């Protein structure tokens, strides 16, 4: 029994020897790959279907996101109400998400209900009809939501900075307009659905207390689908970045707050500097104790929060600094951000700060490995980015061993003001 009178030993996160639990792998009769993480501790399960059906594959803007959302809104045999009522009856949660290259359907449920739930998911993937009345409601709701959001400076800034970085024709740079929703048609959604769901490329990720017959259960419901008969089509990633780097946009004449975005293009995870720059990024603005937070929030009081991060894209990334500040201090916020960049270029990080960041990053990874759903989510990220377990091991090793001198070299390589776009939207 635990002796609560004895204080537990305090151990640095960097002292842990972390390993990523391996997945089980098998394929269905039609070649759909399955990545599985078994954990019998709790009677819950996750099943996620990932299709190469993101906005990169659409001919008309918003077709991919709309088709993904409306998958749950009517089949040949069930109305949207009946579908939602069915999943609610079993206490299950079925969600849809659309990204740049991929789109997914994710099911959370009690393990014992999978035999009843999976056939209905299969029905969504083969017999969705995108009813006109559901599309009409969806278009109206999306346009109203967009009109409200366009009044918010942070929403506008997020859209525009990606266009500056990649160009509007790039999958990472496009965004919606009300006209795009007006142009949505049922026949275009059905064509996209047929090309990228019924006849598309699919990967399954499953985790939790999986039934003993999970392979035959999945094969029964999804092993005869037409998926994976062909590879995903090539994507046009031609980047057409904005040439002018400094931008100031007035979105609300009476606005008292501005959205600031400072960003530059950056390579993807396969670049040798990517993991190392993650450490540098955390020192700059990646967590609550970062230099940007200490300076611009705690010392200057310009903002409630300022953060920097590398975007989670497959083909290429971007290094982004994001904040909302008072209208009168947006310029000062940008100046202080570049001062902190210059400090990282001019002065090596001291041992105490580097040790703190190492512990924060390893501790965050520990949290991300807490349970089968989190572990399979990390594996999904690796699979979709064509990475393996060596990437995890290299990440841990880099975080633990990178030196202050190397971080300073990276700062001088990447934290040069002329490489960054500066956008202020008020």
């Amino acid at each position: 029994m635990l002796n609560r009178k004895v204080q537990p030993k305090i151990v640095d996160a960097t002292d842990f020897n972390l390993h990523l639990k391996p997945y089980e792998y098998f394929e269905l009769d039609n070649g759909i790959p399955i990545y599985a993480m078994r954990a019998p501790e709790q009677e819950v399960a996750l099943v996620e279907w990932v299709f190469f059906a993101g906005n990169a594959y659409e001919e008309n803007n918003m077709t991919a996101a709309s088709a993904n959302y409306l998958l749950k809104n009517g089949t040949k045999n069930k109305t949207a109400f009946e579908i939602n009522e069915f999943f609610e009856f079993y206490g299950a949660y079925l969600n849809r998400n659309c990204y740049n290259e991929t789109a997914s359907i994710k099911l959370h449920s009690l393990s014992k209900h999978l035999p009843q739930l999976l056939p209905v998911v299969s029905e969504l993937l083969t017999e969705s009809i995108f009813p006109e009345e559901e599309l009409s409601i969806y278009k109206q709701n999306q346009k109203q939501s967009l009109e409200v959001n366009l009044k918010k400076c942070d929403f506008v800034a997020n859209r525009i900075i990606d266009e500056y970085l990649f160009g509007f024709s790039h999958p990472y740079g496009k965004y919606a307009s009300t006209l795009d929703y007006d142009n949505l048609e049922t026949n275009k959604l059905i064509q996209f659905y047929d090309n990228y769901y019924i006849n598309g490329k699919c990967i399954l990720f499953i985790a939790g207390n999986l039934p003993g017959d999970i392979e035959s259960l999945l094969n029964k419901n999804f092993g005869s689908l037409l998926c994976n008969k062909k590879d995903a089509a090539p994507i046009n990633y031609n980047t057409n970045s904005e040439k002018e780097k400094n931008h100031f946009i007035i979105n609300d004449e009476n606005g008292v707050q501005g959205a600031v975005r400072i960003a530059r293009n950056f390579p993807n995870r396969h670049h040798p500097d990517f993991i190392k720059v993650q450490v540098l990024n955390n020192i700059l603005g990646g967590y609550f104790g970062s230099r940007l937070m200490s300076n611009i929030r705690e010392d200057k009081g310009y903002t409630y929060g300022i953060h920097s991060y590398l975007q989670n894209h497959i083909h290429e990334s971007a290094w982004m600094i994001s904040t909302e500040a008072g209208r009168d201090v947006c310029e000062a916020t940008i100046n202080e951000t570049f001062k902190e960049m210059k400090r990282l270029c001019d002065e090596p990080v001291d041992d105490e700060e580097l040790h703190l960041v190492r512990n924060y990053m390893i501790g965050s990874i520990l949290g991300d490995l807490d349970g089968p759903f989190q572990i399979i989510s990390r594996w999904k990220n690796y699979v979709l980015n064509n990475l393996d377990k060596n990437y995890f091991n290299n990440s841990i090793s880099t975080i633990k061993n990178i030196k202050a001198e190397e971080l300073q070299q990276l700062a001088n390589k990447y934290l040069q003001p002329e490489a960054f776009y500066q956008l202020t939207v008020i």
Side-chain angles (χ1 to χ4, degrees), residues 320-391:
M320 183 81 67
I321 298 164
S322 171
T323 189
E324 284 73 54
R327 181 172 183 160
D328 58 332
V329 294
C330 285
E331 184 177 355
T333 297
I334 294 173
N335 292 336
E336 291 300 323
T337 298
F338 284 120
K339 284 182 182 178
E340 292 301 335
M341 290 184 185
K342 190 173 188 305
R343 269 216 305 150
L344 286 169
C345 293
D346 294 343
E347 306 166 9
V349 180
D350 64 49
D351 292 341
E352 182 179 357
E353 183 179 15
L354 184 52
H355 182 68
L356 177 63
V357 169
R358 284 186 175 132
N359 270 286
Y360 166 77
M361 295 184 71
I362 297 295
S364 296
I365 294 173
L366 274 169
D368 289 343
L369 300 180
D370 183 21
F373 294 178
Q374 289 83 352
I375 296 174
I376 201 64
S377 178
R378 182 172 285 267
W379 272 119
K380 181 185 77 170
N381 201 23
Y382 289 173
V383 170
L384 295 180
N385 282 278
N386 196 28
L387 302 167
D388 56 26
K389 68 177 182 180
N390 291 325
Y391 186 83

Side-chain angles (χ1 to χ4, degrees), residues 216-383:
S216 61
L217 189 60
L218 290 172
N219 212 41
K220 175 184 176 182
N221 290 285
F222 305 100
S224 61
L225 301 184
L226 300 178
C227 302
N228 289 44
K229 300 301 183 184
K230 58 183 180 180
D231 291 331
I235 297 173
N236 178 10
Y237 283 113
N238 290 336
T239 299
N240 186 22
S241 303
E242 172 68 35
K243 300 298 184 288
E244 174 60 40
K245 291 292 180 70
N246 298 334
H247 299 268
F248 184 90
I249 295 174
I250 298 177
N251 190 58
D252 181 359
E253 290 283 358
N254 300 315
V256 297
Q257 182 168 282
V260 174
R261 301 293 183 269
I262 303 170
R264 62 159 295 161
N265 298 88
F266 200 80
N268 67 11
R269 289 171 177 80
H270 292 271
H271 193 279
D273 288 342
F274 192 92
I275 299 173
K276 300 172 186 177
V277 167
Q278 291 279 24
V279 182
L280 181 62
N281 172 72
N282 275 282
I283 295 170
L284 176 63
Y287 75 117
F288 195 81
S290 69
R291 294 191 176 189
L292 291 179
M293 287 288 281
S294 297
N295 179 345
I296 296 170
R297 172 194 157 102
E298 300 299 326
D299 184 36
K300 303 296 189 305
Y302 292 161
T303 179
Y304 283 113
I306 181 168
H307 308 279
S308 65
Y309 56 93
L310 296 179
Q311 288 185 337
N312 186 29
H313 292 320
I314 292 176
H315 182 261
E316 55 190 305
S317 183
W319 197 344
M320 183 81 67
I321 298 164
S322 171
T323 189
E324 284 73 54
R327 181 172 183 160
D328 58 332
V329 294
C330 285
E331 184 177 355
T333 297
I334 294 173
N335 292 336
E336 291 300 323
T337 298
F338 284 120
K339 284 182 182 178
E340 292 301 335
M341 290 184 185
K342 190 173 188 305
R343 269 216 305 150
L344 286 169
C345 293
D346 294 343
E347 306 166 9
V349 180
D350 64 49
D351 292 341
E352 182 179 357
E353 183 179 15
L354 184 52
H355 182 68
L356 177 63
V357 169
R358 284 186 175 132
N359 270 286
Y360 166 77
M361 295 184 71
I362 297 295
S364 296
I365 294 173
L366 274 169
D368 289 343
L369 300 180
D370 183 21
F373 294 178
Q374 289 83 352
I375 296 174
I376 201 64
S377 178
R378 182 172 285 267
W379 272 119
K380 181 185 77 170
N381 201 23
Y382 289 173
V383 170

Side-chain angles (χ1 to χ4, degrees), residues 119-233:
V120 178
V121 178
S122 179
E123 183 179 340
L124 301 181
L125 297 178
T126 56
E127 298 185 358
S128 288
I129 59 173
F130 307 96
E132 287 285 356
E133 62 273 19
E134 293 293 334
L135 176 58
S136 178
I137 294 170
Y138 169 78
K139 289 161 69 171
Q140 180 181 350
N141 290 342
Q142 291 300 110
K143 288 193 294 182
Q144 289 177 348
S145 177
L146 179 59
E147 288 171 0
V148 171
N149 285 328
L150 285 173
K151 298 176 182 178
K152 303 173 183 178
C153 59
D154 59 328
F155 179 84
V156 174
N158 286 337
R159 288 154 58 94
I160 295 176
I161 192 63
D162 286 338
E163 181 184 2
Y164 290 163
L165 287 164
F166 304 108
F168 189 75
S169 60
H170 192 287
Y172 304 162
K174 61 170 65 173
Y175 49 82
S177 68
T178 54
L179 183 60
D180 292 324
Y181 290 114
D182 286 332
N183 290 335
L184 288 174
E185 298 176 1
T186 298
N187 64 320
K188 293 178 181 177
L189 297 179
I190 291 175
Q191 182 181 4
F192 187 88
Y193 170 70
D194 183 71
N195 289 338
Y196 297 104
Y197 287 92
I198 294 178
N199 295 285
K201 184 174 176 61
C202 179
I203 305 174
L204 259 68
F205 299 89
I206 59 177
N209 189 356
L210 304 172
D213 62 343
I214 187 63
E215 293 186 34
S216 61
L217 189 60
L218 290 172
N219 212 41
K220 175 184 176 182
N221 290 285
F222 305 100
S224 61
L225 301 184
L226 300 178
C227 302
N228 289 44
K229 300 301 183 184
K230 58 183 180 180
D231 291 331

